[in-house]
């Protein structure tokens, strides 16, 4: 299992050793996590439980899950070495009754597949906006010390420049394009966080994550980075369903977990923070060519097979060169570059 791989054990050790994170603020606290069965959530949960063990934090992680039995199987390894993980069955749309105090909330529950956004735009919007409103109201009622919403680089919309983007450099989104239900929802959820901070004094903020991957990506994941990894592993040509011209940054999964915790504990209420590794900025095609060259030793190539139907499932060509300067001012730094992200992801995939 990927949790038992050397690369992930190393990730856990590095995460728990980060001194810019004010770990003492988690002492004896309870943190509610949504989206914990996804890549980012499970990476963060694993990191927190490991840090709790080695630092003696007395931190309890309550994970909201749709299917507790399935989550128990997924987190069997964590449950073996920690009794600080509690599973609460429910959804963000219908929150269960949580009798315990909730000191912090990390809200990461969200669909991630482009095909789902196109086929289920109503559900995408309803889950995002309704679920975030429910969690913010709960955090307010519980007197939570901090709330962080996991937003996305897609909320920037159409950007015509490759200049680094600070958090205020937001571009245009056409609300009538069905696939834009996802980034429009992200924008409104960020607005809800800012509204709760302004009106109720809730210590809520957002982190805008670049596309994130690393150990824990499922071997059958449909996203482009997973497809590229499979192609490298099986020595198959990379076939793009677009022209591959869009350019943006990426961030390693455990770096993303550290960014989330940094924003949760040190970020300013009502603000958003970019989490990205600027050294990874590249087009989809350039990334594919790098994988073919460095991960498959030049034994495969990149081909274009774009059709009008395939293009509909993906955002229009865009440039998202996220500037993480605001987050770096809080002490966070990305540590893993693009090629190493693929190497570590592939190493974990081979164990599945």
């Amino acid at each position: 299992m990927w949790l038992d791989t050397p690369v992930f054990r190393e990730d856990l050790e590095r995460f728990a050793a980060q001194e810019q994170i004010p770990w003492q603020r988690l002492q004896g606290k309870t943190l509610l996590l949504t989206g914990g069965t996804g890549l980012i959530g499970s990476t963060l949960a694993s990191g927190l439980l490991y840090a709790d063990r080695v630092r003696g934090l007395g931190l309890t992680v309550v994970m909201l899950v749709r299917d507790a039995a399935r989550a128990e199987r997924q987190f069997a390894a964590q449950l073996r070495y920690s009794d600080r993980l509690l599973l609460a069955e429910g959804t963000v749309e219908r929150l269960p009754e949580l009798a315990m105090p909730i000191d912090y909330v990390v809200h990461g529950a969200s669909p991630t597949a482009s095909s789902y956004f196109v086929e289920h735009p109503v559900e995408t919007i309803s889950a995002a906006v309704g679920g975030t409103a429910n969690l913010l109201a709960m955090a307010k009622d519980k007197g939570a010390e901090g709330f962080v919403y996991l937003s996305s680089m897609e909320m920037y919309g159409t950007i015509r420049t490759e200049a680094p983007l600070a958090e205020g450099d937001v571009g245009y989104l056409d609300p009538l394009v069905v696939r834009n239900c996802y980034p429009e929802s992200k924008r409104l959820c960020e607005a809800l966080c800012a509204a709760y901070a302004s009106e109720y004094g809730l210590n809520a903020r957002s982190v805008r994550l670049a596309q994130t991957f690393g150990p824990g990506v499922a071997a059958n994941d449909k996203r482009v980075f997973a497809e590229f990894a499979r192609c490298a592993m099986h020595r198959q040509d990379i076939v793009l369903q677009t022209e591959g011209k869009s350019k943006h940054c990426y961030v390693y999964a455990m770096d993303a977990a550290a960014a989330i915790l940094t924003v949760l504990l040190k970020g300013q209420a009502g603000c958003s923070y970019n989490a990205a590794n600027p050294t990874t900025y590249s087009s989809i095609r350039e990334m594919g060519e790098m994988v073919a060259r460095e991960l498959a030793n030049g034994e495969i190539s990149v081909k274009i097979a774009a059709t009008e139907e395939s293009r509909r499932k993906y955002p229009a060509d865009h440039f998202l060169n996220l500037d993480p300067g605001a987050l770096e001012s809080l002490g966070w730094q990305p540590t893993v570059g693009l090629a190493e992200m693929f190497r570590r992801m592939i190493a974990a995939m081979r164990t599945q």
Side-chain angles (χ1 to χ4, degrees):
M1 185 178 180
W2 64 271
L3 274 169
D4 300 320
T5 61
V7 293
F8 195 68
R9 287 197 298 272
E10 185 178 59
D11 284 351
L12 292 173
E13 291 167 1
R14 290 177 177 175
F15 177 80
Q18 295 201 36
E19 295 301 333
Q20 97 281 355
I21 294 173
W23 297 103
Q24 71 279 4
R25 292 187 57 190
L26 297 176
Q27 193 78 41
K29 301 297 185 179
T30 299
L31 182 148
L32 175 66
L33 173 65
T34 74
T37 57
L39 170 67
I40 298 168
S42 64
T43 301
L44 176 61
S46 299
L48 286 170
L49 293 169
Y50 184 82
D52 171 70
R53 185 173 69 168
V54 300
R55 288 180 171 270
L57 297 175
L59 171 68
T60 299
V61 177
V62 180
M63 187 180 296
L64 182 66
V65 297
R66 290 180 178 272
D67 185 332
R70 180 180 175 185
E72 284 178 2
R73 293 191 295 272
Q74 180 176 344
F75 290 92
Q78 293 94 328
L79 290 167
R80 279 198 304 272
Y81 73 70
S82 173
D83 61 358
R84 310 297 301 187
L85 175 61
L86 306 178
L87 302 177
E89 198 166 56
T91 67
V92 293
E93 299 97 321
R94 295 179 177 83
L95 290 176
E97 186 67 33
L98 298 173
M100 73 285 288
I102 300 295
D103 301 296
Y104 293 101
V105 179
V106 176
H107 177 28
S110 176
T112 57
S114 285
S115 57
Y116 184 90
F117 309 151
V118 173
E119 295 165 9
H120 303 284
V122 173
E123 291 80 2
T124 298
I125 295 170
S126 298
V129 179
T132 301
N134 287 341
L135 285 161
L136 285 164
M138 183 213 68
K140 169 179 168 289
D141 292 342
K142 292 275 189 180
E145 297 177 32
F147 183 108
V148 65
Y149 173 68
L150 306 194
S151 190
S152 165
M153 66 180 183
E154 285 201 33
M155 64 78 58
Y156 280 100
T158 301
I159 300 293
R160 302 298 185 189
T161 175
E162 294 193 55
L165 297 172
E167 285 75 5
D169 299 327
V170 180
Y172 172 73
L173 272 173
D174 184 348
L176 301 183
V177 173
V178 170
R179 197 205 170 279
N180 284 346
C181 64
Y182 176 73
E184 286 281 17
S185 296
K186 291 291 186 183
R187 285 187 174 185
L188 186 50
C189 290
E190 286 197 29
L192 275 169
C193 290
Y196 265 79
S198 174
E199 186 170 347
Y200 300 118
L202 182 66
N203 205 4
R205 69 281 284 179
S206 305
V207 56
R208 296 171 184 168
L209 294 165
Q211 195 161 49
T212 305
F213 63 91
V217 172
N220 62 353
D221 192 293
K222 302 299 184 185
R223 285 170 289 181
V224 65
F225 49 80
E227 177 63 24
F228 287 4
R230 286 191 295 271
C231 289
M233 292 166 65
H234 302 302
R235 295 302 192 261
Q236 297 172 342
D237 287 342
I238 292 172
V239 180
L240 299 183
Q241 299 302 315
T242 69
E243 298 295 326
K245 295 178 180 179
S246 290
K247 298 182 72 172
H248 49 74
C249 299
Y250 300 85
V251 64
Y252 187 58
M254 195 59 84
D255 283 344
I260 293 163
L261 200 55
T262 300
V263 171
L264 177 67
L265 299 176
K266 299 172 76 174
Q268 183 176 341
C271 292
S272 291
Y273 296 84
N274 291 332
N277 186 337
T279 69
T280 66
Y281 183 64
S282 58
S283 71
I284 302 297
R285 182 164 187 166
E286 288 168 343
M287 183 172 71
E289 290 169 346
M290 183 278 294
V291 169
R293 181 179 62 253
E294 298 192 27
L295 280 300
N297 300 319
E299 297 173 24
I300 64 176
S301 60
V302 177
K303 299 179 178 179
I304 306 292
T307 65
E308 190 61 36
E309 183 178 355
S310 70
R311 289 190 188 95
R312 275 199 321 117
K313 296 181 181 180
Y314 301 95
D317 292 341
H318 57 279
F319 305 102
L320 293 174
N321 187 9
L322 271 59
D323 179 359
L327 181 53
E328 289 177 339
S329 72
L330 302 180
W332 177 86
Q333 288 287 333
T335 63
V336 180
L338 194 56
E340 185 64 13
M341 288 169 66
F342 272 98
R343 291 189 185 97
R344 298 176 79 83
M345 176 174 63
I346 288 172
M349 276 184 167
R350 293 190 187 279
T351 69
Q352 296 181 28

